[in-house]
Amino acid sequence: MKAVVVHQYGGPEVLKFEDYPDPVPGPGEVLVRVAATSVNPIDYKRRAGLTKDFYPLQFPGLIGVDLSGTVAKIGSGVEDFSVGDQVFAMADNTYAELCVVKAAALAKVPKGLDLIQAAALPLVTVTGNQLLAATEIKAGQTVLVVGAVGNVGRSAVFTAKQRGATVIAGVLTRQMDEATTLGANRLVATDDDTAIANLPPLDAVADAVGGRTAQKLIAKVKAGGVFATVVDAPQNAAQYPSVKVVHVFSKFDRKTLEFMAEAVRDGKLVIPISQKLPLSEAAEAQAVAEKGRSGKILLVA
């Protein structure tokens, strides 16, 4: 098969589109012919060696965590899938024409959802849903979603609205117009100190940004409230011992992925796709993504 192979840590130029051994499914595994994968920050952080202490690459190796495609072969003991099924998942080594996925980590693409579009959804929608769930927010309570126009943030806003929460979307001033489409109850510019100062007390924060913004916003959480984050905890968290700080690591959950994907199919949740490129142009795609371009970039195999 052809795959995007990494031989050493470095910039986008280390991504080489070349021949790589075909993977073989073992017991409980499924071989997927990849239709598309997507570019996520974890992909270029791994490529650059920023995660080598806890998520290293073995060279030559592959990267990528999202995929959509068609079942090509089934390992022993797999009963829920058949050859030809359209599927999507969070997996490993997805920047390739073929990928082996544990059947337990695989889901069928909902009818009516485009197979290529499905590749944009697994990591960001599941992460956003689980980030919001970690806030323990209840109907009628108020949650601030930081980074709300990002794909994880959008998914968290949608999940919060489904729970009946009052949702404040935290975005940069330049993103305010775009944020009006999110369905939040209120918008706040997180790069405006006056706007942050005027926030009401919050039951929870769902944070996809971190940094100084997180340090300012944890001060707005009520005693007994929750500050959940997919990035680093606020450096000043110790100053707020009455606030529960939760670090969220995305974990595959089939029901959650199917639920979020159905919301996208039905137009209730929008995950913008900014670009579709051939898998062979992964280096270009990552270079663009690292500049902070909004919208998902898909790599079509």
Side-chain angles (χ1 to χ4, degrees), residues 3 9 25 78 86 104 110 115 123 204 207 271 278 288:
Y9 292 124
V78 175
Q86 292 192 342
L115 181 62
L123 182 63
D207 175 37
I271 302 297
V288 171

Side-chain angles (χ1 to χ4, degrees), residues 186 188-199 216 220:
R186 175 178 170 182
V188 63
T190 54
D191 51 354
D192 182 336
D193 286 347
T194 300
I196 289 177
N198 289 332
L199 280 169
K216 296 173 184 176
K220 304 299 293 187

Side-chain angles (χ1 to χ4, degrees), residues 37 40 50 55 67 79 84 86 103 163 181 209 242 244 298:
T37 182
N40 290 292
L50 300 179
Y55 194 16
L67 72 73
E79 299 179 351
Q86 292 192 342
R163 288 185 169 218
T181 65
V209 174
S242 64
K244 180 182 178 181
L298 300 186

Side-chain angles (χ1 to χ4, degrees), residues 239-253:
Q239 299 176 28
Y240 301 93
S242 64
V243 177
K244 180 182 178 181
V245 176
V246 182
H247 195 199
V248 177
F249 294 95
S250 182
K251 297 178 181 178
F252 175 79
D253 181 87

Side-chain angles (χ1 to χ4, degrees), residues 10-291:
E13 71 280 355
V14 304
L15 299 176
K16 305 297 182 183
F17 187 65
E18 59 191 37
D19 290 326
Y20 197 81
D22 289 3
V24 177
E29 295 180 334
V30 173
L31 180 67
V32 177
R33 181 162 297 282
V34 178
T37 182
S38 80
V39 178
N40 290 292
I42 189 63
D43 301 336
Y44 45 80
K45 289 178 181 178
R46 284 195 80 200
R47 182 215 71 220
L50 300 179
T51 66
K52 60 185 177 183
D53 290 340
F54 60 92
Y55 194 16
L57 268 168
Q58 300 295 322
F59 301 120
L62 308 183
I63 58 174
V65 294
D66 280 332
L67 72 73
S68 64
T70 305
V71 174
K73 191 174 182 180
I74 294 174
S76 62
V78 175
E79 299 179 351
D80 295 337
F81 298 95
S82 302
V83 171
D85 284 346
Q86 292 192 342
V87 294
F88 61 153
M90 286 189 290
D92 289 317
N93 307 331
T94 64
Y95 282 28
E97 293 177 332
L98 295 168
C99 184
V100 165
V101 186
K102 292 181 180 179
L106 200 60
K108 294 180 182 178
V109 175
K111 292 186 182 301
L113 179 65
D114 178 75
L115 181 62
I116 301 297
Q117 182 187 14
L121 307 183
L123 182 63
V124 295
T125 62
V126 171
T127 300
N129 181 285
Q130 293 177 350
L131 171 63
L132 195 284
T135 68
E136 304 172 17
I137 204 73
K138 297 179 177 63
Q141 292 184 320
T142 299
V143 59
L144 171 63
V145 177
V146 194
V149 297
N151 297 305
V152 171
R154 288 170 178 270
S155 301
V157 169
F158 168 76
T159 304
K161 293 297 293 182
Q162 291 292 302
R163 288 185 169 218
T166 297
V167 185
I168 303 174
V171 299
L172 300 174
T173 300
R174 61 180 170 81
Q175 298 170 325
M176 292 291 274
D177 287 345
E178 183 181 1
T180 60
T181 65
L182 297 176
N185 300 93
R186 175 178 170 182
L187 308 179
V188 63
T190 54
D191 51 354
D192 182 336
D193 286 347
T194 300
I196 289 177
N198 289 332
L199 280 169
L202 304 169
D203 295 294
V205 169
D207 175 37
V209 174
R212 293 181 180 178
T213 301
Q215 294 179 44
K216 296 173 184 176
L217 291 174
I218 192 172
K220 304 299 293 187
V221 180
K222 297 176 183 177
V226 179
F227 189 103
T229 181
V230 292
V231 286
D232 293 332
Q235 290 186 359
N236 60 341
Q239 299 176 28
Y240 301 93
S242 64
V243 177
K244 180 182 178 181
V245 176
V246 182
H247 195 199
V248 177
F249 294 95
S250 182
K251 297 178 181 178
F252 175 79
D253 181 87
R254 183 177 291 156
K255 288 184 178 180
T256 296
L257 178 55
E258 291 172 343
F259 171 73
M260 299 298 280
E262 288 167 1
V264 171
R265 178 198 63 193
D266 297 341
K268 298 175 182 178
L269 169 63
V270 176
I271 302 297
I273 296 172
S274 63
Q275 214 169 351
K276 297 177 184 177
L277 294 172
L279 182 62
S280 59
E281 297 181 18
E284 177 185 337
Q286 287 202 0
V288 171
E290 285 185 275
K291 294 177 182 176

